[in-house]
Amino acid sequence: MTVLHPLQKSIEQHFAAGAAAVSDAGAMAAFLELRAALERGEVRSAEPDAASPSGWRVNAWVKQGILLGFRLGVLEETAAGALTFIDKHTFPARHFGVHDGMRIVAGGSAVRAGAHIGKGVICVPPMYVNTGAYVDENAMVDSHALVGSCAQIGKRVHLSAAAQIGGVLEPVNANPVVIEDDVLVGGNCGIYEGAIVRKGAVLAAGTVLTRGTPVFDLVTGDVLRASGDMPLIIPENAVVVPGSRAVSKGKGHPSADAWGLSLYAPVIVKYRDDKTNLSTALEELLR
Ligand SMILES: CC(C)(COP(=O)(O)OP(=O)(O)OC[C@H]1O[C@@H](n2cnc3c(N)ncnc32)[C@H](O)[C@@H]1OP(=O)(O)O)[C@@H](O)C(=O)NCCC(=O)NCCS
Protein backbone atom coordinates (compact mmCIF):
# COMPACT_ATOMS: atom_id res chain seq x y z
CA MET A 1 0.00 0.00 0.00
CA THR A 2 1.28 3.47 -0.87
CA VAL A 3 2.01 5.53 2.25
CA LEU A 4 0.71 9.10 2.03
CA HIS A 5 3.47 11.73 2.17
CA PRO A 6 2.87 14.20 5.05
CA LEU A 7 2.61 17.08 2.55
CA GLN A 8 0.24 15.40 0.11
CA LYS A 9 -3.10 16.29 1.74
CA SER A 10 -2.16 19.90 2.30
CA ILE A 11 -0.91 20.34 -1.30
CA GLU A 12 -4.06 18.73 -2.70
CA GLN A 13 -6.29 21.00 -0.58
CA HIS A 14 -4.46 24.19 -1.57
CA PHE A 15 -4.45 23.14 -5.24
CA ALA A 16 -8.22 22.46 -5.08
CA ALA A 17 -8.80 25.88 -3.47
CA GLY A 18 -8.03 27.57 -6.82
CA ALA A 19 -7.59 31.35 -6.71
CA ALA A 20 -8.34 31.40 -2.94
CA ALA A 21 -4.91 29.82 -2.34
CA VAL A 22 -3.20 33.06 -3.40
CA SER A 23 -4.14 34.88 -0.17
CA ASP A 24 -3.50 31.83 2.05
CA ALA A 25 -0.10 31.87 3.76
CA GLY A 26 -0.46 28.14 4.42
CA ALA A 27 -0.47 27.47 0.66
CA MET A 28 2.87 29.24 0.18
CA ALA A 29 4.35 27.42 3.19
CA ALA A 30 3.25 24.03 1.82
CA PHE A 31 4.63 24.84 -1.64
CA LEU A 32 7.99 25.98 -0.27
CA GLU A 33 8.24 22.80 1.78
CA LEU A 34 7.50 20.72 -1.31
CA ARG A 35 10.02 22.67 -3.40
CA ALA A 36 12.76 22.06 -0.84
CA ALA A 37 11.88 18.35 -0.64
CA LEU A 38 12.02 18.12 -4.45
CA GLU A 39 15.44 19.76 -4.50
CA ARG A 40 16.73 17.33 -1.88
CA GLY A 41 15.34 14.48 -3.97
CA GLU A 42 13.08 13.33 -1.14
CA VAL A 43 9.93 13.58 -3.22
CA ARG A 44 9.68 13.08 -6.96
CA SER A 45 7.02 13.77 -9.56
CA ALA A 46 7.39 10.14 -10.65
CA GLU A 47 9.19 7.21 -9.05
CA PRO A 48 9.94 3.56 -9.77
CA ASP A 49 7.06 1.31 -8.76
CA ALA A 50 7.21 -2.41 -9.50
CA ALA A 51 3.42 -2.64 -9.09
CA SER A 52 2.75 -0.25 -11.99
CA PRO A 53 2.51 -1.74 -15.51
CA SER A 54 5.06 0.80 -16.83
CA GLY A 55 7.34 0.33 -13.79
CA TRP A 56 6.83 3.99 -12.82
CA ARG A 57 4.23 5.72 -10.68
CA VAL A 58 3.27 9.35 -11.29
CA ASN A 59 2.81 11.40 -8.11
CA ALA A 60 0.04 13.67 -9.36
CA TRP A 61 -0.01 15.60 -6.07
CA VAL A 62 3.63 16.65 -6.62
CA LYS A 63 2.74 18.04 -10.02
CA GLN A 64 -0.27 19.79 -8.44
CA GLY A 65 2.16 21.32 -5.94
CA ILE A 66 4.35 22.63 -8.77
CA LEU A 67 1.30 24.11 -10.52
CA LEU A 68 0.30 25.65 -7.17
CA GLY A 69 3.73 27.32 -7.13
CA PHE A 70 3.00 28.92 -10.51
CA ARG A 71 -0.37 30.15 -9.23
CA LEU A 72 1.20 31.64 -6.09
CA GLY A 73 4.13 33.23 -7.91
CA VAL A 74 4.24 36.89 -8.89
CA LEU A 75 6.54 38.24 -11.57
CA GLU A 76 9.91 39.24 -10.23
CA GLU A 77 12.96 40.77 -11.89
CA THR A 78 16.36 39.28 -11.16
CA ALA A 79 19.75 40.15 -12.63
CA ALA A 80 23.14 38.60 -13.30
CA GLY A 81 25.62 41.24 -14.42
CA ALA A 82 24.10 43.08 -17.36
CA LEU A 83 21.44 40.42 -17.95
CA THR A 84 17.94 40.69 -16.52
CA PHE A 85 15.36 37.95 -16.12
CA ILE A 86 11.66 38.00 -15.26
CA ASP A 87 9.92 34.96 -13.84
CA LYS A 88 7.50 33.87 -11.12
CA HIS A 89 9.26 34.52 -7.81
CA THR A 90 8.39 30.98 -6.69
CA PHE A 91 10.75 29.49 -9.32
CA PRO A 92 14.08 31.34 -9.18
CA ALA A 93 17.29 29.83 -10.52
CA ARG A 94 18.87 27.48 -7.97
CA HIS A 95 22.12 28.38 -6.23
CA PHE A 96 24.74 25.70 -5.67
CA GLY A 97 27.87 25.40 -3.55
CA VAL A 98 30.82 23.02 -3.52
CA HIS A 99 29.04 21.11 -0.73
CA ASP A 100 26.38 20.05 -3.30
CA GLY A 101 29.01 17.76 -4.82
CA MET A 102 28.09 18.50 -8.45
CA ARG A 103 29.72 20.60 -11.17
CA ILE A 104 28.10 23.39 -13.13
CA VAL A 105 30.61 24.70 -15.63
CA ALA A 106 30.59 28.49 -16.19
CA GLY A 107 28.49 29.85 -19.02
CA GLY A 108 24.81 30.08 -19.72
CA SER A 109 23.29 27.24 -17.71
CA ALA A 110 20.46 27.31 -15.21
CA VAL A 111 18.73 24.89 -12.91
CA ARG A 112 15.28 26.06 -11.83
CA ALA A 113 14.06 25.82 -8.25
CA GLY A 114 12.29 22.54 -7.53
CA ALA A 115 14.73 20.44 -9.59
CA HIS A 116 16.99 17.83 -8.00
CA ILE A 117 20.62 17.46 -9.08
CA GLY A 118 22.40 14.45 -7.56
CA LYS A 119 26.01 14.20 -6.40
CA GLY A 120 28.59 13.90 -9.13
CA VAL A 121 26.35 15.36 -11.86
CA ILE A 122 28.23 17.43 -14.45
CA CYS A 123 26.37 20.28 -16.16
CA VAL A 124 28.09 21.62 -19.27
CA PRO A 125 26.92 24.99 -20.60
CA PRO A 126 24.57 25.95 -21.95
CA MET A 127 22.05 23.55 -20.45
CA TYR A 128 18.77 23.90 -18.61
CA VAL A 129 17.01 21.78 -16.03
CA ASN A 130 13.38 22.73 -15.41
CA THR A 131 11.40 22.45 -12.20
CA GLY A 132 10.29 19.05 -10.91
CA ALA A 133 13.04 17.28 -12.84
CA TYR A 134 15.21 14.70 -11.08
CA VAL A 135 18.77 14.16 -12.29
CA ASP A 136 20.35 11.25 -10.45
CA GLU A 137 23.97 10.79 -9.35
CA ASN A 138 26.85 10.99 -11.82
CA ALA A 139 24.70 11.90 -14.80
CA MET A 140 26.17 14.20 -17.47
CA VAL A 141 24.06 16.97 -18.96
CA ASP A 142 26.02 18.21 -21.96
CA SER A 143 25.88 21.49 -23.89
CA HIS A 144 22.49 22.60 -25.22
CA ALA A 145 20.76 19.72 -23.46
CA LEU A 146 17.32 20.33 -21.95
CA VAL A 147 15.85 18.41 -19.04
CA GLY A 148 12.18 19.37 -19.19
CA SER A 149 9.84 19.77 -16.24
CA CYS A 150 9.34 16.63 -14.14
CA ALA A 151 11.64 14.49 -16.37
CA GLN A 152 13.40 11.70 -14.47
CA ILE A 153 17.03 11.07 -15.40
CA GLY A 154 18.78 8.01 -13.95
CA LYS A 155 22.25 7.41 -12.52
CA ARG A 156 25.21 7.72 -14.92
CA VAL A 157 22.94 8.76 -17.82
CA HIS A 158 24.76 10.71 -20.52
CA LEU A 159 22.61 13.38 -22.13
CA SER A 160 24.76 14.32 -25.11
CA ALA A 161 24.99 17.72 -26.75
CA ALA A 162 21.60 19.13 -27.76
CA ALA A 163 19.61 16.18 -26.37
CA GLN A 164 16.11 17.40 -25.62
CA ILE A 165 14.14 15.70 -22.86
CA GLY A 166 10.62 17.07 -23.06
CA GLY A 167 8.73 18.35 -20.03
CA VAL A 168 5.38 16.92 -18.97
CA LEU A 169 3.70 18.99 -16.26
CA GLU A 170 0.06 18.78 -17.35
CA PRO A 171 -2.18 16.84 -17.16
CA VAL A 172 -1.03 16.07 -13.63
CA ASN A 173 -1.48 12.32 -14.00
CA ALA A 174 0.54 12.14 -17.25
CA ASN A 175 3.83 10.23 -17.23
CA PRO A 176 6.88 12.45 -17.41
CA VAL A 177 9.73 11.35 -19.68
CA VAL A 178 11.86 8.76 -17.86
CA ILE A 179 15.45 7.91 -18.78
CA GLU A 180 16.59 5.05 -16.55
CA ASP A 181 20.10 4.35 -15.21
CA ASP A 182 23.10 4.00 -17.56
CA VAL A 183 21.30 5.14 -20.72
CA LEU A 184 23.24 7.01 -23.40
CA VAL A 185 21.14 9.63 -25.15
CA GLY A 186 23.11 10.63 -28.25
CA GLY A 187 23.53 14.11 -29.63
CA ASN A 188 20.41 15.85 -30.99
CA CYS A 189 18.00 13.23 -29.68
CA GLY A 190 14.49 14.30 -28.67
CA ILE A 191 12.48 12.29 -26.14
CA TYR A 192 8.98 13.56 -25.57
CA GLU A 193 5.45 12.79 -24.33
CA GLY A 194 6.19 10.48 -21.43
CA ALA A 195 8.39 7.97 -23.24
CA ILE A 196 10.33 5.61 -20.95
CA VAL A 197 13.85 4.53 -21.90
CA ARG A 198 14.82 1.50 -19.87
CA LYS A 199 18.20 0.86 -18.19
CA GLY A 200 21.30 0.64 -20.34
CA ALA A 201 19.60 1.54 -23.64
CA VAL A 202 21.52 3.55 -26.25
CA LEU A 203 19.84 6.13 -28.45
CA ALA A 204 22.05 6.94 -31.43
CA ALA A 205 22.47 10.58 -32.36
CA GLY A 206 19.34 12.06 -33.87
CA THR A 207 16.79 9.58 -32.51
CA VAL A 208 13.40 11.14 -31.79
CA LEU A 209 10.74 9.41 -29.70
CA THR A 210 7.19 10.63 -29.14
CA ARG A 211 3.94 8.95 -28.11
CA GLY A 212 3.03 8.49 -31.76
CA THR A 213 6.37 7.11 -32.97
CA PRO A 214 6.40 3.34 -33.67
CA VAL A 215 9.78 1.74 -32.97
CA PHE A 216 10.86 -1.25 -35.07
CA ASP A 217 12.80 -3.98 -33.25
CA LEU A 218 14.90 -5.92 -35.77
CA VAL A 219 15.97 -8.40 -33.11
CA THR A 220 12.56 -9.52 -31.83
CA GLY A 221 10.43 -8.55 -34.82
CA ASP A 222 8.14 -6.45 -32.59
CA VAL A 223 6.82 -2.99 -33.38
CA LEU A 224 6.75 -1.00 -30.13
CA ARG A 225 4.05 1.62 -29.64
CA ALA A 226 2.37 3.61 -26.87
CA SER A 227 -1.19 2.48 -26.19
CA GLY A 228 -3.89 3.52 -23.72
CA ASP A 229 -2.22 4.33 -20.40
CA MET A 230 1.08 2.85 -21.50
CA PRO A 231 3.73 5.19 -22.85
CA LEU A 232 6.25 4.25 -25.53
CA ILE A 233 8.84 2.07 -23.77
CA ILE A 234 12.32 1.36 -25.13
CA PRO A 235 13.52 -1.98 -23.72
CA GLU A 236 16.57 -2.43 -21.49
CA ASN A 237 19.89 -2.31 -23.39
CA ALA A 238 18.24 -1.69 -26.77
CA VAL A 239 20.43 0.15 -29.31
CA VAL A 240 18.11 2.47 -31.26
CA VAL A 241 19.20 4.30 -34.41
CA PRO A 242 17.24 6.73 -36.58
CA GLY A 243 15.98 4.96 -39.70
CA SER A 244 13.23 5.32 -42.26
CA ARG A 245 10.44 3.20 -43.73
CA ALA A 246 8.65 3.34 -47.06
CA VAL A 247 5.27 5.07 -47.20
CA SER A 248 2.72 2.62 -48.56
CA LYS A 249 -0.44 4.78 -48.49
CA GLY A 250 -1.78 7.33 -51.00
CA LYS A 251 0.88 8.89 -53.19
CA GLY A 252 3.45 6.85 -51.30
CA HIS A 253 2.00 3.67 -52.80
CA PRO A 254 4.32 2.09 -55.38
CA SER A 255 2.96 3.31 -58.73
CA ALA A 256 4.13 5.33 -61.69
CA ASP A 257 3.25 8.74 -60.19
CA ALA A 258 4.21 7.87 -56.59
CA TRP A 259 6.32 10.37 -54.64
CA GLY A 260 8.64 7.68 -53.30
CA LEU A 261 8.47 9.05 -49.77
CA SER A 262 9.68 7.47 -46.58
CA LEU A 263 8.84 8.24 -42.95
CA TYR A 264 11.18 8.55 -40.02
CA ALA A 265 11.39 5.26 -38.11
CA PRO A 266 13.57 4.54 -35.08
CA VAL A 267 15.00 1.04 -35.37
CA ILE A 268 16.39 -1.25 -32.64
CA VAL A 269 19.37 -2.68 -34.52
CA LYS A 270 20.66 -4.82 -31.65
CA TYR A 271 20.95 -5.03 -27.87
CA ARG A 272 24.01 -3.57 -26.13
CA ASP A 273 27.22 -5.59 -26.65
CA ASP A 274 30.96 -5.05 -26.06
CA LYS A 275 31.22 -2.88 -29.17
CA THR A 276 28.43 -0.63 -27.90
CA ASN A 277 30.18 -0.33 -24.53
CA LEU A 278 33.32 0.80 -26.37
CA SER A 279 31.40 3.28 -28.53
CA THR A 280 29.68 4.79 -25.50
CA ALA A 281 32.66 5.11 -23.14
CA LEU A 282 32.63 8.84 -23.66
CA GLU A 283 33.52 11.03 -20.80
CA GLU A 284 35.40 9.05 -18.17
CA LEU A 285 38.47 11.26 -18.62
CA LEU A 286 36.46 14.39 -17.80
CA ARG A 287 35.63 13.19 -14.30
C1 LIG B 1 24.66 3.90 -31.45
C2 LIG B 1 26.17 4.06 -31.38
C3 LIG B 1 26.58 4.14 -29.92
C4 LIG B 1 26.85 2.87 -32.05
O1 LIG B 1 26.68 1.71 -31.29
P1 LIG B 1 27.45 0.37 -31.70
O2 LIG B 1 26.98 -0.68 -30.77
O3 LIG B 1 28.90 0.65 -31.80
O4 LIG B 1 26.81 0.12 -33.15
P2 LIG B 1 27.47 -0.67 -34.37
O5 LIG B 1 28.51 0.17 -35.00
O6 LIG B 1 27.79 -2.06 -33.98
O7 LIG B 1 26.22 -0.64 -35.37
C5 LIG B 1 25.12 -1.56 -35.31
C6 LIG B 1 24.29 -1.30 -36.56
O8 LIG B 1 23.64 -0.03 -36.44
C7 LIG B 1 24.05 0.86 -37.49
N1 LIG B 1 24.28 2.16 -36.86
C8 LIG B 1 25.12 2.45 -35.85
N2 LIG B 1 25.03 3.74 -35.51
C9 LIG B 1 24.12 4.29 -36.33
C10 LIG B 1 23.61 5.59 -36.47
N3 LIG B 1 24.00 6.58 -35.65
N4 LIG B 1 22.67 5.82 -37.42
C11 LIG B 1 22.26 4.81 -38.24
N5 LIG B 1 22.73 3.55 -38.15
C12 LIG B 1 23.64 3.29 -37.21
C13 LIG B 1 25.34 0.26 -38.03
O9 LIG B 1 25.54 0.60 -39.36
C14 LIG B 1 25.11 -1.21 -37.82
O10 LIG B 1 24.25 -1.71 -38.84
P3 LIG B 1 24.88 -2.69 -39.96
O11 LIG B 1 25.42 -3.86 -39.18
O12 LIG B 1 23.70 -3.01 -40.80
O13 LIG B 1 25.92 -1.88 -40.64
C15 LIG B 1 26.65 5.32 -32.15
O14 LIG B 1 26.20 5.26 -33.50
C16 LIG B 1 26.14 6.63 -31.60
O15 LIG B 1 25.12 7.17 -32.01
N6 LIG B 1 26.85 7.15 -30.58
C17 LIG B 1 26.49 8.39 -29.93
C18 LIG B 1 27.25 9.52 -30.56
C19 LIG B 1 26.96 10.79 -29.84
O16 LIG B 1 25.86 11.32 -29.91
N7 LIG B 1 27.92 11.26 -29.06
C20 LIG B 1 27.67 12.39 -28.22
C21 LIG B 1 28.87 13.22 -27.98
S1 LIG B 1 28.40 14.68 -27.08
Side-chain angles (χ1 to χ4, degrees):
M1 207 185 72
T2 316
V3 185
L4 228 60
H5 190 279
L7 271 175
Q8 178 167 346
K9 251 195 133 118
S10 146
I11 290 286
E12 283 170 348
Q13 279 165 1
H14 292 303
F15 179 77
V22 175
S23 52
D24 183 343
M28 181 62 90
F31 165 71
L32 291 177
E33 233 185 287
L34 171 69
R35 195 180 76 182
L38 278 166
E39 291 177 2
R40 290 192 299 268
E42 288 166 11
V43 295
R44 296 171 63 165
S45 48
E47 58 191 293
D49 180 0
S52 151
S54 71
W56 285 79
R57 182 181 76 238
V58 181
N59 292 322
W61 72 271
V62 173
K63 289 178 152 202
Q64 287 177 338
I66 293 170
L67 292 170
L68 176 68
F70 280 101
R71 189 177 292 151
L72 300 180
V74 291
L75 291 186
E76 175 188 64
E77 190 178 314
T78 53
L83 302 175
T84 53
F85 309 96
I86 298 162
D87 193 13
K88 296 277 181 141
H89 80 298
T90 39
F91 292 99
R94 279 195 63 184
H95 289 252
F96 293 95
V98 172
H99 61 270
D100 287 306
M102 47 78 83
R103 285 160 61 188
I104 183 157
V105 178
S109 295
V111 176
R112 207 175 192 190
H116 170 73
I117 304 289
K119 299 264 185 227
V121 169
I122 301 180
C123 304
V124 188
M127 50 68 83
Y128 188 70
V129 181
N130 209 339
T131 190
Y134 184 100
V135 183
D136 213 337
E137 292 174 7
N138 298 313
M140 160 78 108
V141 186
D142 215 330
S143 296
H144 286 284
L146 164 73
V147 182
S149 50
C150 299
Q152 305 290 304
I153 308 297
K155 292 182 173 57
R156 299 170 297 278
V157 164
H158 186 117
L159 296 182
S160 301
Q164 306 293 295
I165 309 298
V168 184
L169 195 47
E170 288 182 279
V172 288
N173 56 354
N175 270 310
V177 174
V178 175
I179 311 290
E180 294 186 353
D181 296 348
D182 298 300
V183 166
L184 175 108
V185 180
N188 265 300
C189 284
I191 321 298
Y192 306 106
E193 296 186 303
I196 297 178
V197 182
R198 292 260 191 255
K199 288 188 175 82
V202 175
L203 306 182
T207 301
V208 176
L209 304 174
T210 70
R211 212 183 138 71
T213 316
V215 177
F216 296 80
D217 188 335
L218 289 183
V219 180
T220 62
D222 294 330
V223 180
L224 311 174
R225 299 173 190 269
S227 68
D229 285 345
M230 289 295 277
L232 176 67
I233 300 180
I234 300 300
E236 210 166 305
N237 292 324
V239 176
V240 190
V241 307
S244 62
R245 62 188 163 105
V247 176
S248 56
K249 292 178 196 155
K251 288 281 260 183
H253 195 268
S255 66
D257 66 342
W259 288 333
L261 300 179
S262 54
L263 289 176
Y264 165 69
V267 178
I268 298 177
V269 283
K270 63 176 182 179
Y271 283 73
R272 192 185 261 268
D273 57 21
D274 289 347
K275 170 136 191 321
T276 320
N277 293 339
L278 258 182
S279 307
T280 57
L282 290 168
E283 93 277 10
E284 276 315 302
L285 287 176
L286 294 177
R287 294 191 178 265

